[in-house]
mmCIF file of all heavy atoms in Angstrom:
data_model
loop_
_atom_site.group_PDB
_atom_site.id
_atom_site.type_symbol
_atom_site.label_atom_id
_atom_site.label_comp_id
_atom_site.label_asym_id
_atom_site.label_seq_id
_atom_site.Cartn_x
_atom_site.Cartn_y
_atom_site.Cartn_z
ATOM 1 N N ILE E 27 118.891 225.156 22.072
ATOM 2 C CA ILE E 27 118.061 224.915 20.886
ATOM 3 C C ILE E 27 118.644 225.637 19.678
ATOM 4 O O ILE E 27 118.721 225.074 18.579
ATOM 5 C CB ILE E 27 116.603 225.323 21.156
ATOM 6 C CG1 ILE E 27 115.987 224.362 22.177
ATOM 7 C CG2 ILE E 27 115.789 225.354 19.859
ATOM 8 C CD1 ILE E 27 114.642 224.798 22.715
ATOM 9 N N GLU E 28 119.091 226.873 19.874
ATOM 10 C CA GLU E 28 119.707 227.626 18.776
ATOM 11 C C GLU E 28 120.980 226.937 18.284
ATOM 12 O O GLU E 28 121.202 226.821 17.072
ATOM 13 C CB GLU E 28 120.038 229.046 19.227
ATOM 14 C CG GLU E 28 118.831 229.915 19.440
ATOM 15 C CD GLU E 28 119.208 231.265 20.044
ATOM 16 O OE1 GLU E 28 120.414 231.571 20.175
ATOM 17 O OE2 GLU E 28 118.269 232.003 20.392
ATOM 18 N N ASP E 29 121.815 226.486 19.216
ATOM 19 C CA ASP E 29 123.060 225.816 18.837
ATOM 20 C C ASP E 29 122.802 224.522 18.071
ATOM 21 O O ASP E 29 123.450 224.243 17.060
ATOM 22 C CB ASP E 29 123.908 225.514 20.070
ATOM 23 C CG ASP E 29 124.482 226.762 20.715
ATOM 24 O OD1 ASP E 29 124.497 227.825 20.062
ATOM 25 O OD2 ASP E 29 124.910 226.666 21.885
ATOM 26 N N VAL E 30 121.848 223.726 18.540
ATOM 27 C CA VAL E 30 121.515 222.468 17.858
ATOM 28 C C VAL E 30 120.931 222.770 16.483
ATOM 29 O O VAL E 30 121.286 222.114 15.493
ATOM 30 C CB VAL E 30 120.557 221.611 18.714
ATOM 31 C CG1 VAL E 30 120.014 220.440 17.909
ATOM 32 C CG2 VAL E 30 121.261 221.105 19.970
ATOM 33 N N SER E 31 120.065 223.764 16.391
ATOM 34 C CA SER E 31 119.482 224.139 15.090
ATOM 35 C C SER E 31 120.559 224.570 14.114
ATOM 36 O O SER E 31 120.538 224.199 12.945
ATOM 37 C CB SER E 31 118.469 225.273 15.270
ATOM 38 O OG SER E 31 117.395 224.852 16.049
ATOM 39 N N ARG E 32 121.514 225.341 14.615
ATOM 40 C CA ARG E 32 122.610 225.794 13.752
ATOM 41 C C ARG E 32 123.457 224.609 13.281
ATOM 42 O O ARG E 32 123.849 224.532 12.123
ATOM 43 C CB ARG E 32 123.467 226.807 14.527
ATOM 44 C CG ARG E 32 124.286 227.705 13.682
ATOM 45 C CD ARG E 32 124.993 228.854 14.407
ATOM 46 N NE ARG E 32 125.058 228.817 15.855
ATOM 47 C CZ ARG E 32 124.221 229.473 16.682
ATOM 48 N NH1 ARG E 32 123.228 230.174 16.196
ATOM 49 N NH2 ARG E 32 124.378 229.395 17.994
ATOM 50 N N LEU E 33 123.714 223.669 14.182
ATOM 51 C CA LEU E 33 124.471 222.471 13.791
ATOM 52 C C LEU E 33 123.727 221.666 12.743
ATOM 53 O O LEU E 33 124.331 221.156 11.798
ATOM 54 C CB LEU E 33 124.728 221.589 15.010
ATOM 55 C CG LEU E 33 126.023 221.791 15.755
ATOM 56 C CD1 LEU E 33 126.087 220.870 16.957
ATOM 57 C CD2 LEU E 33 127.220 221.583 14.881
ATOM 58 N N LEU E 34 122.425 221.527 12.927
ATOM 59 C CA LEU E 34 121.641 220.760 11.959
ATOM 60 C C LEU E 34 121.647 221.435 10.595
ATOM 61 O O LEU E 34 121.661 220.762 9.563
ATOM 62 C CB LEU E 34 120.203 220.580 12.458
ATOM 63 C CG LEU E 34 120.035 219.627 13.638
ATOM 64 C CD1 LEU E 34 118.603 219.687 14.159
ATOM 65 C CD2 LEU E 34 120.398 218.207 13.255
ATOM 66 N N ALA E 35 121.649 222.754 10.578
ATOM 67 C CA ALA E 35 121.619 223.485 9.310
ATOM 68 C C ALA E 35 122.990 223.551 8.645
ATOM 69 O O ALA E 35 123.094 223.423 7.429
ATOM 70 C CB ALA E 35 121.091 224.896 9.544
ATOM 71 N N TYR E 36 124.047 223.742 9.451
ATOM 72 C CA TYR E 36 125.371 223.998 8.878
ATOM 73 C C TYR E 36 126.451 223.041 9.364
ATOM 74 O O TYR E 36 127.618 223.236 9.075
ATOM 75 C CB TYR E 36 125.815 225.427 9.200
ATOM 76 C CG TYR E 36 124.822 226.465 8.784
ATOM 77 C CD1 TYR E 36 124.058 227.136 9.734
ATOM 78 C CD2 TYR E 36 124.637 226.762 7.441
ATOM 79 C CE1 TYR E 36 123.133 228.090 9.354
ATOM 80 C CE2 TYR E 36 123.706 227.709 7.048
ATOM 81 C CZ TYR E 36 122.960 228.379 8.014
ATOM 82 O OH TYR E 36 122.056 229.315 7.641
ATOM 83 N N GLY E 37 126.067 222.045 10.116
ATOM 84 C CA GLY E 37 127.032 221.139 10.739
ATOM 85 C C GLY E 37 127.693 220.207 9.747
ATOM 86 O O GLY E 37 127.451 220.261 8.542
ATOM 87 N N PRO E 38 128.520 219.330 10.269
ATOM 88 C CA PRO E 38 129.239 218.382 9.401
ATOM 89 C C PRO E 38 128.277 217.420 8.715
ATOM 90 O O PRO E 38 127.203 217.128 9.225
ATOM 91 C CB PRO E 38 130.149 217.640 10.374
ATOM 92 C CG PRO E 38 129.524 217.808 11.707
ATOM 93 C CD PRO E 38 128.784 219.113 11.671
#
Side-chain angles (χ1 to χ4, degrees):
I27 292 170
E28 290 173 7
D29 291 343
V30 170
S31 296
R32 201 171 13 262
L33 267 178
L34 289 172
Y36 306 107

